[in-house]
Amino acid sequence: MIRVLVLFFGCTIAALSTAAEYLNLYTWDDYIDPVVLERFEQRYDVSVVITTYADDLERDQQVASSGGEGLDIILLDDSSLNSYIRNGWITRRVTKNIPNNRYINWQTVRLSELEKQYAQPYAEGSYGLAYRSELIEESVDSWAALYNPPKEFRGKIGLAGQPTELLPTVLLYLGYDLWNPTSWQLTEAERLLMKLRPDVTLFSSSTQDLDAGFRQGTLAIAPTYSTDFVLLQQESPDLRYVIPKEGGFYWLDSLVIAAASHSKDRAHQFLNFLLEPEIAARQMMYNNSLISHPEAIKQLPEEVRQQLEKFRTQARDQYRFKDSGIWSLRQMMSTWYSLDPEGKY
């Protein structure tokens, strides 16, 4: 039986089950095919407990406060891997316990050799703009459509739900250094956002929030992930996705084993299971994302494979989100709370 938990403020991860018959997975909501989980549970007679986080900051705070106690597997973005390794929150994978590791074409996985010892690729894609094409005659090709929007988009702007996503896109639009901006460049970025604030109707990266906004007409444009765009377009066929000419972002999500896990054998078993070609193909379909698993990709329907290959090829030419320095992160958070001081969104 799959158990889904949502951590609220004041709760601790350590309260989760640590019994050997449980596998505790910490991830985004709705990011793994329930059928895949059920098959794993049935085959190995284990219950998977899923705990979800709302954003990367919540995940990092929870793991930092507990040391990962009560967790077995954590979903991590590539920009966070190094900090988790440095803090000792995750442990190296024992590849002899993951024989299906041979299916991954590791030469094409965009991680360092050190990161590859810890992380198993789970999903990858790009970060760009989704917009309602019926509202505007010309195609969108720049972040200017978001940060200096035409009249058709005003009052219907969506901004990223995480400050670490928001500020880099502004700096990209302004043509500044993404990872080492000067104080006055950060100030200029903040001024631009404050000027835009009256036109913003949503601060969120949630697929559900974006879907509702586009369908109800309260959103005209918003940054999103290529994987989420596939779902959004199913409900709003006039939506278009573009990686702006100034550039977009590439991301890679991976599964890692918590150093504090009491079920490391189970965790390796789960990672191995996910790399079975049939299971990996099913998971790619569910996440709308390819990974470097040629045998699984062969099993995808041709139309799906072509669409996901297109997204993947576009993504790999883009910038990568990075583990921001403390000073930049503090500035991002300051900007974020200035934009949304009451936590309305």
Side-chain angles (χ1 to χ4, degrees):
M1 177 185 295
I2 303 165
R3 304 184 183 187
V4 180
L5 303 177
V6 179
L7 291 183
F8 295 98
F9 184 78
C11 296
T12 62
I13 293 175
L16 300 179
S17 171
T18 57
E21 67 271 17
Y22 289 93
L23 184 73
N24 297 307
L25 174 61
Y26 196 29
T27 181
W28 292 103
D29 183 36
D30 195 25
Y31 204 30
I32 188 164
D33 188 340
V35 174
V36 168
L37 291 176
E38 289 172 6
R39 289 185 183 179
F40 176 76
E41 290 182 323
Q42 291 170 3
R43 183 186 299 183
Y44 295 105
D45 192 25
V46 60
S47 294
V48 178
V49 179
I50 297 179
T51 309
T52 63
Y53 50 81
D55 53 47
D56 294 343
L57 180 61
E58 177 185 328
R59 178 200 63 202
D60 296 346
Q61 289 175 337
Q62 289 285 0
V63 174
S65 65
S66 68
E69 183 65 33
L71 293 177
D72 299 309
I73 292 178
I74 305 170
L75 180 92
L76 279 186
D77 56 289
D78 52 337
S79 65
S80 301
L81 270 171
N82 278 318
S83 64
Y84 273 64
I85 293 171
R86 288 195 305 269
N87 284 295
W89 294 335
I90 57 178
T91 189
R92 286 178 170 85
R93 296 175 306 120
V94 181
T95 53
K96 69 178 182 180
N97 294 337
I98 311 176
N100 290 332
N101 188 66
R102 69 186 187 278
Y103 286 119
I104 295 293
N105 182 0
W106 285 99
Q107 291 184 335
T108 64
V109 175
R110 297 185 66 182
L111 293 173
S112 70
E113 292 306 311
L114 175 63
E115 291 169 335
K116 289 176 183 178
Q117 296 178 39
Y118 290 82
Q120 178 166 301
Y122 184 71
E124 65 177 310
S126 63
Y127 187 74
L129 283 172
Y131 69 97
R132 291 173 55 194
S133 60
E134 79 277 14
L135 296 181
I136 192 168
E137 292 184 5
E138 297 182 357
S139 298
V140 167
D141 68 352
S142 169
W143 287 105
L146 184 70
Y147 294 123
N148 185 23
K151 65 180 185 301
E152 293 88 351
F153 291 168
R154 291 197 175 276
K156 298 180 179 181
I157 300 292
L159 290 184
Q162 300 188 90
T164 48
E165 295 171 352
L166 175 64
L167 202 56
T169 61
V170 183
L171 294 171
L172 195 58
Y173 164 63
L174 293 173
Y176 297 148
D177 189 317
L178 299 181
W179 312 119
N180 294 292
T182 64
S183 58
W184 70 264
Q185 288 174 342
L186 287 170
T187 299
E188 185 175 348
E190 185 170 1
R191 285 174 180 164
L192 185 152
L193 289 169
M194 293 304 175
K195 182 179 179 181
L196 182 66
R197 181 63 182 86
D199 289 313
V200 178
T201 58
L202 179 70
F203 287 100
S204 179
S205 297
S206 161
T207 310
Q208 291 83 359
D209 291 343
L210 292 172
D211 179 48
F214 281 123
R215 284 191 294 105
Q216 295 168 8
T218 57
L219 275 185
I221 187 170
T224 191
Y225 296 95
S226 56
T227 46
D228 291 340
F229 172 75
V230 177
L231 299 175
L232 295 172
Q233 194 180 44
Q234 290 174 2
E235 299 296 329
S236 303
D238 289 325
L239 278 186
R240 298 293 179 267
Y241 178 79
V242 63
I243 296 178
K245 61 186 179 183
E246 299 91 348
F249 292 89
Y250 166 83
W251 56 267
L252 171 65
D253 284 345
S254 298
L255 295 175
V256 297
I257 299 174
S261 169
H262 296 277
S263 302
K264 290 186 175 67
D265 288 344
R266 287 285 191 201
H268 282 86
Q269 207 170 46
F270 184 68
L271 294 182
N272 189 60
F273 176 78
L274 290 180
L275 292 182
E276 292 181 7
E278 179 191 354
I279 297 298
R282 186 180 185 96
Q283 196 56 51
M284 288 182 198
M285 291 276 289
Y286 192 82
N287 287 340
N288 301 307
S289 172
L290 300 182
I291 59 171
S292 297
H293 192 314
E295 289 302 314
I297 291 174
K298 290 178 184 177
Q299 298 190 23
L300 298 176
E302 183 64 19
E303 183 178 354
V304 173
R305 186 192 63 76
Q306 288 183 0
Q307 182 186 38
L308 297 185
E309 283 281 14
K310 177 182 177 181
F311 281 138
R312 188 187 192 204
T313 301
Q314 288 177 330
R316 289 190 160 220
D317 292 332
Q318 306 308 313
Y319 296 97
R320 297 184 69 174
F321 288 115
K322 293 185 179 180
D323 186 3
S324 301
I326 293 297
W327 181 74
S328 293
L329 183 58
R330 285 176 178 166
Q331 180 67 38
M332 291 177 189
M333 295 305 296
S334 173
T335 299
W336 179 255
Y337 289 124
S338 296
L339 283 167
D340 189 21
E342 298 178 359
K344 180 179 178 182
Y345 296 100

